[in-house]
């Protein structure tokens, strides 16, 4: 039948269906799909740099190419999302949810038009919309449309275009159905003819003959007449804890209080026992509760106080204001119904009324419309329900006056406090722990229900939503355990974890099976405790547990075949080969997965017969039969069919007969060869989901790989492949017969969990459900950056793992962070060598299989052989800076050890030619030695400047900066006056060294200083006091280093970036968000100029590396600054699901600025400019003479006489008046006129 209204816990009006019509009034065009926004190319010109590398703390990395990319890790709080792939193969979130997305299917209508993607799970919010368990997603617009009407969890969806329907299975209630229902076309929710099942549905598929197959944990249909409660209406609803009010109560003392009739079951009248209404008027009695309930029976005791009594009434459910239909037995024993005027006989015996419709409510009102004698009144009232609840708030449980032998109770231990229901169905308890690591053993709530009848029950636990009190960010995870039966009926204790981050109320099925009735020797219990392994300030909640008795004799056993063309379902299940296959299994079969290959249905789950276990095949005609070796030796959770190959996941370890090794939780089965095959050696925990998807692996074009998700944390070792730690996701590459994580190739990084994937019809888009973190390249610590054409990245031929931070590790003072990963790199190429040197705090595998720590050499001249230091340097050392002088490597940091009998501290020297330690200089000393920067003086002196935090070098007093003269292998002090910690060093010319750090120069604090190596003097910079904190990174802004950049952390903890233009310091402003740590700077040329800026040459951008936070974007590992804007450039993540970071860019050559054919020295530039100026002056003079001669000729000038005379002889004879008489006369004279002087 079609349901005219969509039911939650309250009946909706007919308009509910009308409002659903817009869901399908505009169907989605199949030509439209999700689009992605590309970002402008950075246009970097790295062609002059040779090889370029990026070093940092990361295990996955991408260049920023699409606005949808981020450094966000996968959600570990139980929330998931609809996900898709970018054109570069990365996975990105499209729409988020507050819980699991377990299933999706494309709903293509019978007309061929796509109505949308139906999404199911246990979420209460999808895309920010209040959506209970199921919703419709528009892949074009991203719009979410809730499909209201179900409460619970959806496990599986099957979209059937031929029937214009979506079949929905799970653990829910909706309309008149349980656990299975259909959405039909534009009509909405429609009961299936059999009204669902008496247990959860796990899988739905179409058989080869067009029928629909349901699999799960059920034994009967929803409308079957099997076992029902023999003791109905036994849960007493606690009226004592309700707020009781009344209207027009009498004023007579002892009879006016409406609470008089609560917990009064004797029917006795009198003061304190009877509530009366004023005479001759109608009145009402109202109860408002702190919890919701679904009453099945009302019991009333009428009064006969002085002839008064209630004659007729009505029961109104609140807050829906619905007048309830009731049934009762009259004094003649005839069953009758009533609604607005239900009669109540005036007897001493109670009168029972049963509710025709079981409706949820949180308050009710009795409206009395007629009375006996002078006025109305009552002596008692009680309310009952079938479902059995145990509330965490004890006052909501059965009252003491109910007389129950074992009433529902709850025992709370720990800092639990009562919280009002607000928008939730019930009040609840909340416990806050400032340090959640102590919560697991410090708090618990034990629920004890009043079970009066043994039988099969579904047990669900309710969790109030976090949106109502804005506690979502602080909600934690709880562990649920329980004992349901004892003796011969005992079942394994239940145990599950539940995330409590749901935005709105939800419930989770925690058990489905036998429960013993309560007795003096046994009580079924459910215990809620905070899960271990959590940290931070977290809240935990406890609300209620429900026990619902199930029909248990319906004749089915885990499988049911439904023919949609039949309006009536036959209960003769023997006519179906599928139903018969289920009935042939041992009792209590669980079917988790059904797939069809070549007219054969393969079923996997937890079941057995004498011939097979946990997986079987059912031909479209004939009996169920075993697969090779009798199936598998433990439960199968999922089957995925890839052509003729079945991928099977579960918690098995071998076949039933033990014939195939290495089937650890995952296997393949060939339907043609009838053989099992291992995938490597499997994984170390159960596999719950199998999802195929496409990525580029080795061929340069996409290929299908198989994603496995579940409860495992390691890919097991096999052959020459080591065990690999993972976080619940592993990817098998069929073409390589190996795991993606084992391949020595440029492969993407994918971590998290994938639960479902579907193709969007008519597009090349695939949508997934799950929670993933993805980057374009799986690589750790260091990568290569392409210097030709479009920017690209590739991994280096070495596998690096960051070192764990131990208690002995110290924080880098200038950075304020623990150092892991690769911190610096160097390309060594003397004598045609090709060696990449990497230093930091990490481990790596040498070519010979040994473990290397913190400093490695990758020899590209020798087949990429990976080597490291000989013993001597302590394994917990941290290398922060590398420099090479000739063929000698100077490596500094937090370095300790003993080399050839010489103690080292802060610095180690290595002979690159001999591949051995060089003679070590005397060790640096001080209370907390660290070397942050090493720089070789240009100009050929060979002097190596070392900066950091130390007091002396050997016996030489040499604070903060010390010089190692390689000519005589001695330390040399640059002179006193400087102290503090040096963060970075940079040369300006051959003789001026710029130092940044947390410094004191001549007893004055400063962040930058300069050392003149010729004059051997220290000096400070004008205006350096305006720099807001210690400087940790420096880089030139111009080729002549007349301008430069400095970065660090302000005294208030924020990051800063300033530019020195030769005279003044300029800040770029608040471009970075909180917790930003800038670790490296480098100016780079671009192929296309950008807008002119006072801070940046138009042909240059500044690369900023570190752990950065951009407002309105989030975490990023590297950005580019063009003088106006900061743009993301590199995104990275670590293996522990955190944002990564970059420390530095290192390159083969240091030509960072464009020279357009070569760069001249400044002196030559000045001389050339002077010569050009003189030439221009000469040309102007010549032009002036030429035009002057023309003018003179036009004005009648004649050549002067050429004979010689004494030019001074008559000078004194000229009167002054004659000499100046022409002044002021007109210049325009006629021909022959004298010129003006």
């Amino acid at each position: 039948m079609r349901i005219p209204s969509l039911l939650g816990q309250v009946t909706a009006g007919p308009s509910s269906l009308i409002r659903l019509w817009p869901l399908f009034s505009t169907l989605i065009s199949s030509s439209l799909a999700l689009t992605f926004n590309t970002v402008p190319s950075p246009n970097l010109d790295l062609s002059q740099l040779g090889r370029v590398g990026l070093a940092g703390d990361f295990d996955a990395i991408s260049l920023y190419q699409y606005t949808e990319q981020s450094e966000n890790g996968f959600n570990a709080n139980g929330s998931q999302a609809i996900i898709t792939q970018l054109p570069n193969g990365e996975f990105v979130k499209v729409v988020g949810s507050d819980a699991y997305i377990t299933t999706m299917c494309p709903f293509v209508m019978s007309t061929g038009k796509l109505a949308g993607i139906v999404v199911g799970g246990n979420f209460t919010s999808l895309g920010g919309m209040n959506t209970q368990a199921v919703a419709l997603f528009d892949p074009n617009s991203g719009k979410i449309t809730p499909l209201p009407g179900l409460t619970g969890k959806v496990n599986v969806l099957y979209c059937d275009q031929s029937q214009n329907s979506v079949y929905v299975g799970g653990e829910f209630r909706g309309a008149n159905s349980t656990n299975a229902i259909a959405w039909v076309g534009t009509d909405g929710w429609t009961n299936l003819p059999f009204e669902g099942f008496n247990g959860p549905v796990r899988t739905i598929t179409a058989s080869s003959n067009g029928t629909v197959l349901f699999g799960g944990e059920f034994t009967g249909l929803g409308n079957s007449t099997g076992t029902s409660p023999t003791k109905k209406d036994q849960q007493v609803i606690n009226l004592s804890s309700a707020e009781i009010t009344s209207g027009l109560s009498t004023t007579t003392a002892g009879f006016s209080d409406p609470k008089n009739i609560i917990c009064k079951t004797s029917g006795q009248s009198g003061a304190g026992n009877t509530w009366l209404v004023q005479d001759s008027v109608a009145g009402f009695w109202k109860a408002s509760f702190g919890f919701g309930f679904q009453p099945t029976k009302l019991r009333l005791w009428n009064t006969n106080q002085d002839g008064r009594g209630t004659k007729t009434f009505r029961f109104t459910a609140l807050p829906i204001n619905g007048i309830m239909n009731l049934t009762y037995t009259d004094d003649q024993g005839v069953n009758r119904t009533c609604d607005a005027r239900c009669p109540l006989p005036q007897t001493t015996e109670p009168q029972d009324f049963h509710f025709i419709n079981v409706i949820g409510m949180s308050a009710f009102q009795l409206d009395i419309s007629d009375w006996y004698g002078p006025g109305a009144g009552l002596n008692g009232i009680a309310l009952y329900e079938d479902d059995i609840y145990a509330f965490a708030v004890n006052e909501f449980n059965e009252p003491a006056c109910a007389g129950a032998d074992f009433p529902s109770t709850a025992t709370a231990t720990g800092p639990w406090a009562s919280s009002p229901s607000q928008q939730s169905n019930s009040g609840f308890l909340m416990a806050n722990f400032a340090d959640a690591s102590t919560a697991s053993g410090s708090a618990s709530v034990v629920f004890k229900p009043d079970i009066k009848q043994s039988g099969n029950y579904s047990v669900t636990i309710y969790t109030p939503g976090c949106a109502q009190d804005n506690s979502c960010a602080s909600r934690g995870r709880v562990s649920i355990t329980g004992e349901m039966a004892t003796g011969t009926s005992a079942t394994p204790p239940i145990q599950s974890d539940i995330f409590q981050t749901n935005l709105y109320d939800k419930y989770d099925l925690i058990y489905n099976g036998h429960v013993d009735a309560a007795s003096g020797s046994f009580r079924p219990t459910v215990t809620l405790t905070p899960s271990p392994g959590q940290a931070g300030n977290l809240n935990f909640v406890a609300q209620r547990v429900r026990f619902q008795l199930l029909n248990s004799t319906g004749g089915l056993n885990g499988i049911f075949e439904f023919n949609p063309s039949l309006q009536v379902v036959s209960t003769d299940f023997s006519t179906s080969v599928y139903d018969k296959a289920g009935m042939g299994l041992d009792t209590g079969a669980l079917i988790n997965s059904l797939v069809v290959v070549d007219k054969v249905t393969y079923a996997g789950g937890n079941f057995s017969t004498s011939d097979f276990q946990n997986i079987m095949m059912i031909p479209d005609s004939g009996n169920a039969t075993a697969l090779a070796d009798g199936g598998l030796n433990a439960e199968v959770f999922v089957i995925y069919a890839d052509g003729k190959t079945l991928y099977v996941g579960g918690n098995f370890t071998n076949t039933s007969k033990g014939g195939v090794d290495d089937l650890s939780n995952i296997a393949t089965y060939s339907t043609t060869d009838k053989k099992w095959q291992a995938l490597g050696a499997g994984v170390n925990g159960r596999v719950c989901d199998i999802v195929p998807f496409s990525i580029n692996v080795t061929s340069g074009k996409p290929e299908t790989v198989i994603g496995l998700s579940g409860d495992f944390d390691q890919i097991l070792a096999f052959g020459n492949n080591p065990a690999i730690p993972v976080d619940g996701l592993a990817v098998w590459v069929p073409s390589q017969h190996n795991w993606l994580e084992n391949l020595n190739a440029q492969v993407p990084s994918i971590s998290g969990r994938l639960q479902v994937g579907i193709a969007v019809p008519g597009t090349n888009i695939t949508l997934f459900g799950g929670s993933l973190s993805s980057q374009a390249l799986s690589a750790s610590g260091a990568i290569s950056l392409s210097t030709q054409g479009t920017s690209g990245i590739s991994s280096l031929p070495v596998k690096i793992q960051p070192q764990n931070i131990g208690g002995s590790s110290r924080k880098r003072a200038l950075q304020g962070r623990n150092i892991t990963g690769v911190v610096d790199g160097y390309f060594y190429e003397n004598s045609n060598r090709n060696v990449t040197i990497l230093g930091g705090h990490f481990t790596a595998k040498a070519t010979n299989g040994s473990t290397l720590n913190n400093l490695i050499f990758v020899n590209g001249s020798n087949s990429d052989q990976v080597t490291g230091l000989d013993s001597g340097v302590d394994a917990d050392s941290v290398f922060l800076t590398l420099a090479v002088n000739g063929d000698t490597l100077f490596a500094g940091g937090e370095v300790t050890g003993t080399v050839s009998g010489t103690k080292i501290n802060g610095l180690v020297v290595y002979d690159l030619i001999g591949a051995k330690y060089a003679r070590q200089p005397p060790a640096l000393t001080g209370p907390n030695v660290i070397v942050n920067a090493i720089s070789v003086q240009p100009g050929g002196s060979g002097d190596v400047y070392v900066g950091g935090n130390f007091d002396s070098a050997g016996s030489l007093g040499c604070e903060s900066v010390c010089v190692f003269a390689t000519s005589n292998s001695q330390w040399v002090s640059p002179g006193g006056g400087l102290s503090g910690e040096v963060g970075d060093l940079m040369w300006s010319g051959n003789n001026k060294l710029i130092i940044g750090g947390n410094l004191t120069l001549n007893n004055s604090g400063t962040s930058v200083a300069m050392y003149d190596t010729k004059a051997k003097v220290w000096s400070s910079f004008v205006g350096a006091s305006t720099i807001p904190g210690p400087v940790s990174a420096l880089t030139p802004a111009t080729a002549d280093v007349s301008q430069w950049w400095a970065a660090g952390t302000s005294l208030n903890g924020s990051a800063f970036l300033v530019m020195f233009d030769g005279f003044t310091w300029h800040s770029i402003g608040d471009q970075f968000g909180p917790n930003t740590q800038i670790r490296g700077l480098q100016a780079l040329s671009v192929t296309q100029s950008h807008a002119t800026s006072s801070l940046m040459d138009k042909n240059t951008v500044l690369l900023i590396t570190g752990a950065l936070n951009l407002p309105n974007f989030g975490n990023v590992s590297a950005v580019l600054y063009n003088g106006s804007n900061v743009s993301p450039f590199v995104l990275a993540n670590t293996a522990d699901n955190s944002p990564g970071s970059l420390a530095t860019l290192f390159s083969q050559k240091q030509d960072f600025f464009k020279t357009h054919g070569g760069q001249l020295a400044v002196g030559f530039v000045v001389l050339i400019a002077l010569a050009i100026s003189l030439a221009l002056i000469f040309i102007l003079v010549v032009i002036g003479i030429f035009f002057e001669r023309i003018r003179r000729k036009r004005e009648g000038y004649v050549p002067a006489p050429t004979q010689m005379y004494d030019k001074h002889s008559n000078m004194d004879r000229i009167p002054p008046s004659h000499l100046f008489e022409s002044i002021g006369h007109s210049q325009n004279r006629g021909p022959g006129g004298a010129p003006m002087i």
Side-chain angles (χ1 to χ4, degrees), residues 415 431-443 474 476 530-540:
N432 174 262
F433 284 87
D435 181 5
S437 64
T438 65
S440 179
S442 304
S474 62
S531 298
Q534 301 179 85
N537 191 327
L538 294 180
N539 291 311
F540 305 93

Side-chain angles (χ1 to χ4, degrees), residues 418-462:
S418 183
S419 180
S421 61
Q422 300 186 57
Q423 287 83 45
S424 181
N425 184 270
S426 166
F428 53 93
L429 298 181
M430 177 181 286
N432 174 262
F433 284 87
D435 181 5
S437 64
T438 65
S440 179
S442 304
S444 66
V445 176
V446 180
F447 300 88
K448 295 182 179 180
D450 183 7
I451 304 295
K452 294 182 171 64
Q453 175 183 343
S454 298
N456 287 330
Y457 286 80
S458 66
V459 182
T460 53
I461 190 164
Y462 288 72

Side-chain angles (χ1 to χ4, degrees), residues 8-10 132 151 173 288-295 318-319 359-363 385 387 389-391 393 396 419-428 461-466 468 475 502-507 542-546:
Q9 289 189 333
V10 179
Q132 291 285 335
T151 57
R173 292 178 178 180
S288 301
F289 300 78
F291 57 94
F293 53 92
Q294 293 178 302
L318 301 173
I359 298 299
M361 62 191 73
S362 59
E385 62 184 339
D387 286 348
Y389 286 94
F391 290 88
V393 179
F396 298 162
S419 180
S421 61
Q422 300 186 57
Q423 287 83 45
S424 181
N425 184 270
S426 166
F428 53 93
I461 190 164
Y462 288 72
T463 305
C466 58
Q468 60 184 344
R475 284 282 189 93
N502 47 291
L503 270 68
Y504 307 99
D505 284 10
K506 70 163 183 173
Y507 69 78
Q543 189 180 60
R544 57 180 175 152
V545 176
R546 184 188 74 190

Side-chain angles (χ1 to χ4, degrees), residues 80-102:
Q80 295 188 341
I82 298 175
I83 299 167
T84 193
Q85 284 181 279
L86 295 171
N88 65 0
E90 289 184 41
F91 290 84
V92 294
K93 182 175 77 172
V94 179
V95 174
S97 75
D98 65 345
Y100 290 144
I101 294 175
T102 55

Side-chain angles (χ1 to χ4, degrees), residues 243-250 255-259 275-277 283-287 365-366:
E243 178 186 355
I244 306 300
T245 57
S246 63
L248 298 176
S249 296
T250 184
F255 295 92
S256 61
D257 189 351
K259 295 181 181 178
W275 167 73
L276 296 178
V277 182
F284 69 85
W285 190 95
K286 181 180 178 182
Q365 181 170 304
L366 296 179

Side-chain angles (χ1 to χ4, degrees), residues 95-317:
V95 174
S97 75
D98 65 345
Y100 290 144
I101 294 175
T102 55
T103 179
M104 294 191 293
C105 71
F107 187 15
V108 179
M109 307 282 280
S110 57
T111 59
K113 294 292 186 178
L114 178 65
I117 306 300
V118 187
V119 184
N122 71 338
F123 49 81
T124 67
S125 173
L126 187 64
M129 300 285 291
N130 187 341
T131 51
Q132 291 285 335
V134 64
L136 189 73
F137 171 65
D138 181 343
N140 178 50
S141 66
K143 178 183 177 183
I144 297 294
T145 303
L147 304 180
L150 303 185
T151 57
K153 175 185 178 182
V154 170
N155 291 327
V156 60
L157 297 165
Y158 174 67
C159 290
D160 188 346
Q161 181 179 358
S162 65
Q163 297 296 321
N164 207 31
S165 299
V166 181
Y167 296 97
V168 183
E171 305 151 24
F172 57 78
R173 292 178 178 180
N176 292 330
S177 296
T178 56
N179 303 324
I181 199 169
W183 182 284
V184 178
T186 59
D187 293 341
W189 294 118
T190 302
N191 283 324
L192 296 169
F194 51 90
E195 297 180 355
F197 301 92
N198 68 348
V201 173
R202 308 288 188 193
T203 179
I204 307 174
T205 194
S207 70
S208 58
N209 58 19
T211 58
V212 179
L213 302 179
F214 293 82
E217 192 177 6
F218 50 78
T219 58
L221 301 176
N223 59 5
S224 63
T225 56
T227 299
S228 59
T230 57
K231 300 179 180 180
K232 297 175 68 68
D233 313 320
Q234 291 298 301
Q235 180 92 21
V236 179
I237 297 170
N238 194 340
L239 295 171
S240 301
S241 63
E243 178 186 355
I244 306 300
T245 57
S246 63
L248 298 176
S249 296
T250 184
T251 58
T252 303
F255 295 92
S256 61
D257 189 351
K259 295 181 181 178
N260 286 349
I261 62 175
I262 296 175
C263 279
K264 301 296 174 62
T265 59
S266 66
Q268 182 179 353
S269 297
N273 291 321
T274 301
W275 167 73
L276 296 178
V277 182
Q278 296 176 23
D279 288 351
S280 303
V281 298
F284 69 85
W285 190 95
K286 181 180 178 182
S288 301
F289 300 78
F291 57 94
F293 53 92
Q294 293 178 302
T296 56
K297 184 177 76 172
L298 169 69
R299 176 172 289 176
L300 294 175
W301 286 264
N302 209 343
T303 187
N304 195 4
Q305 180 69 36
D306 300 327
R308 293 174 175 83
T310 297
K311 183 179 289 185
T312 59
F313 72 95
R314 70 182 181 191
F315 185 104
T316 303

Side-chain angles (χ1 to χ4, degrees), residues 799-815:
K799 288 191 176 295
I800 291 173
Q801 289 185 342
Q803 288 269 34
N804 292 326
I805 293 293
S808 61
S809 295
R810 299 187 297 271
K811 287 187 175 181
R812 185 175 176 182
L814 289 165
Q815 298 288 359

